[in-house]
Amino acid sequence: MISVDHALRIVLETAQVLPVRSVPITECSGLVLGENVISSENIPSFDNSAMDGYAVRFIDVQNASRENPVTLKVVDVLPAGKVSQRHLENDETIQIMTGAPLPSGADAVVMVEQTEKKNDNEVLVFSPVQKNENCRKAGDDIKAGLVVFQKGRLIKPYDVGVLASIGKSTLQIIPKPTVAILSTGDELVGMDEILPPGKIRSSNNYALRALIGKMGIAVVDLGIAKDTLKDTEEKLRSAFSADIVLTSGGVSMGEFDYVKQALEKLNVDIKFWKVKQKPGKPLVFGSYQSKLFFGLPGNPVSTIVCFELFVVPAIKKMSNVDHYMPNRVRAISSALIPKKPGLRYFLRGVISKNDREFIVSPMDNQSSGVMSSLSYANCLIDIPEESGNIEAGQVVTAILLDAQTLNDLMSN
Ligand code: AMP
Ligand code: MG
């Protein structure tokens, strides 16, 4: 049996960043960039108007005012998408729409609100403009040759518009790993089936699918394996087309726990079995070529706690995400927590903040079968292996279960 930290070290050493792949930009949000993106063009690629108005030579309108408007001759009308053939001469203007290329000779744009049509060919200008006012210069946004996004960046939806504007339709990105899940147990039936005596609904695969889905990862659900070596082995054989294989159940000391034996038959390299932790002691971890295997214990809370502590960091490491460990804060325990030295405890708790400090309360029922307490919890209280009882008022570490909890704590 190894410590949690040792186990985590093995998992993270085994989990390798996945090779880059070419992906259309619309599917890249939330993925890590595997190349430097360099723009070959200026954006915008030509000087253009930022306003609907009149392109002018700023010098011609420098004395314009409401009382003494300047009259300019309108020599062209320029919608977006069209280039004017006219060069602007003294006291001439071209009516221009937002986004239209600035005509030759023009060096500023007067907003339409500061003008009034005098007749079909002339316009009154009521206000001076600075040179380049209301103009967007070529390269203002992005200069040609610039590294727009660096390798390692987590792509945001906003980035997709930038990429489209420079004509980059696909990106080299680090993909997220694919995950296959398999539940094991003769007692399990599917959610839509009638529940015969002694059977339970297989909830772990639903919980895992939701957790994995939240990370933007597609899941292959391989269903339920019977508690026989044959069925477990058969179902696992097909699973390793995924980058990560998760099973739940069948890893304890029971008569019918066949996962380890099946792994041995499939030549999975078992790196560890059993971790000094509660819940989740029977956790199995191994690798098959570059694929990872996690044999999660069947108790629903153990499944999820092991998923959060070990599988999430592995998924993030393979996806090349920088911060793969969960957020932790120091908090004061509101109650006595009975504990014997030997195993590291991860207790479900509710953390809150008063004006000075974080307070954490352990949930009343810490049995690893009590799944609902995870729904009501927002953190795991992490108590070291060697620790005995924690007294009320003692400082402990709380692992925050989702980003929302951190936001809630920070906004209070
Ligand atoms: P095991 O690790 O197979 O001994 O299972 C431990 C406990 O978890 C038993 O009470 C199982 O019935 C329960 N369990 C195993 N798999 C699932 C599952 N997919 N959904 C809900 N409970 C499960
Ligand atoms: Mg079982």
Side-chain angles (χ1 to χ4, degrees):
M1 199 150 48
I2 61 173
S3 71
V4 171
D5 286 340
H6 188 182
L8 202 53
R9 218 164 35 242
I10 294 174
V11 168
L12 293 175
E13 273 164 20
T14 313
Q16 294 302 317
V17 176
L18 293 170
V20 292
R21 184 184 296 168
S22 186
V23 171
I25 53 171
T26 46
E27 294 164 28
C28 286
S29 294
L31 297 175
V32 174
L33 187 58
E35 62 172 330
N36 282 333
V37 175
I38 298 171
S39 177
S40 59
E41 300 166 9
N42 277 324
I43 305 292
S45 58
F46 49 85
D47 296 351
N48 67 88
S49 178
M51 292 285 172
D52 292 330
Y54 288 86
V56 297
R57 290 148 35 92
F58 87 99
I59 210 109
D60 290 346
V61 296
Q62 61 184 334
N63 297 320
S65 66
R66 277 275 152 199
E67 299 72 36
N68 290 305
V70 169
T71 301
L72 298 177
K73 189 172 167 215
V74 182
V75 294
D76 202 357
V77 177
L78 199 51
K82 201 181 140 210
V83 177
S84 177
Q85 303 308 320
R86 287 294 306 258
H87 178 85
L88 219 56
E89 303 291 350
N90 283 5
D91 299 323
E92 287 184 349
T93 185
I94 288 176
Q95 191 176 1
I96 193 166
M97 311 305 146
T98 305
L102 214 60
S104 144
D107 54 18
V109 172
V110 180
M111 288 163 70
V112 72
E113 292 85 342
Q114 299 295 338
T115 67
E116 193 180 298
K117 273 198 172 146
K118 192 170 172 187
N119 54 49
D120 278 354
N121 302 317
E122 287 177 311
V123 66
L124 295 172
V125 174
F126 298 120
S127 164
V129 276
Q130 309 271 325
K131 191 169 185 179
N132 294 328
E133 195 170 329
N134 301 322
C135 296
R136 302 187 286 215
K137 305 296 280 180
D140 259 0
D141 187 353
I142 295 165
K143 299 255 179 312
L146 182 89
V147 177
V148 186
F149 297 128
Q150 281 191 328
K151 192 173 170 173
R153 177 187 178 83
L154 193 64
I155 299 290
K156 298 190 284 189
Y158 304 140
D159 301 347
V160 178
V162 175
L163 292 160
S165 74
I166 64 170
K168 182 99 176 145
S169 58
T170 58
L171 285 181
Q172 293 290 100
I173 55 90
I174 316 287
K176 290 185 178 175
T178 52
V179 182
I181 55 175
L182 176 67
S183 299
T184 72
D186 283 350
E187 75 279 31
L188 305 176
V189 297
M191 205 167 45
D192 304 323
E193 293 170 47
I194 294 163
L195 209 54
K199 306 278 183 187
I200 61 165
R201 293 190 185 92
S202 174
S203 60
N204 286 345
N205 46 323
Y206 289 94
L208 290 171
R209 275 161 62 176
L211 285 161
I212 298 161
K214 192 183 88 174
M215 300 180 82
I217 290 176
V219 190
V220 179
D221 189 346
L222 299 169
I224 300 167
K226 290 275 160 225
D227 279 329
T228 63
L229 179 56
K230 185 166 174 282
D231 199 34
T232 311
E233 186 190 335
E234 259 171 36
K235 296 237 161 65
L236 271 181
R237 194 175 290 281
S238 64
F240 282 97
S241 53
D243 297 308
I244 299 179
V245 178
L246 307 178
T247 58
S248 79
V251 288
S252 303
M253 302 292 282
E255 289 272 319
F256 303 101
D257 290 335
Y258 286 112
V259 169
K260 257 188 83 240
Q261 279 183 57
L263 293 176
E264 278 154 14
K265 291 199 86 174
L266 293 169
N267 290 324
V268 173
D269 178 12
I270 298 174
K271 307 265 187 200
F272 63 76
W273 175 41
K274 289 192 182 168
V275 179
K276 287 188 212 158
Q277 62 177 1
K278 190 177 165 184
K281 192 169 77 173
L283 175 68
V284 179
F285 173 69
S287 66
Y288 178 75
Q289 294 158 359
S290 60
K291 319 291 176 99
L292 304 188
F293 174 85
F294 292 88
L296 307 172
N299 275 311
V301 174
S302 312
T303 304
I304 293 177
V305 169
C306 288
F307 180 86
E308 296 286 4
L309 295 179
F310 296 95
V311 184
V312 171
I315 289 176
K316 289 187 174 172
K317 168 105 192 268
M318 290 171 97
S319 319
N320 208 21
V321 171
D322 272 349
H323 304 290
Y324 36 79
M325 299 310 290
N327 291 310
R328 296 166 163 271
V329 295
R330 306 284 283 160
I332 292 173
S333 177
S334 69
L336 170 99
I337 302 174
K339 181 176 183 302
K340 290 196 203 84
L343 298 178
R344 184 154 158 189
Y345 281 15
F346 296 98
L347 298 149
R348 284 144 277 165
V350 174
I351 188 166
S352 58
K353 191 178 165 220
N354 64 22
D355 12 318
R356 282 175 301 122
E357 57 213 356
F358 297 121
I359 314 282
V360 69
S361 308
M363 310 293 288
D364 289 338
N365 193 338
Q366 293 288 340
S367 158
S368 57
V370 177
M371 210 185 330
S372 57
S373 64
L374 250 179
S375 289
Y376 306 133
N378 60 5
C379 69
L380 295 174
I381 307 169
D382 178 358
I383 305 181
E385 240 174 59
E386 67 282 3
S387 169
N389 288 349
I390 299 289
E391 303 299 331
Q394 208 172 318
V395 174
V396 291
T397 298
I399 298 173
L400 307 183
L401 283 174
D402 54 39
Q404 188 55 44
T405 307
L406 185 64
N407 291 346
D408 291 348
L409 290 178
M410 291 309 160
S411 61
N412 277 336

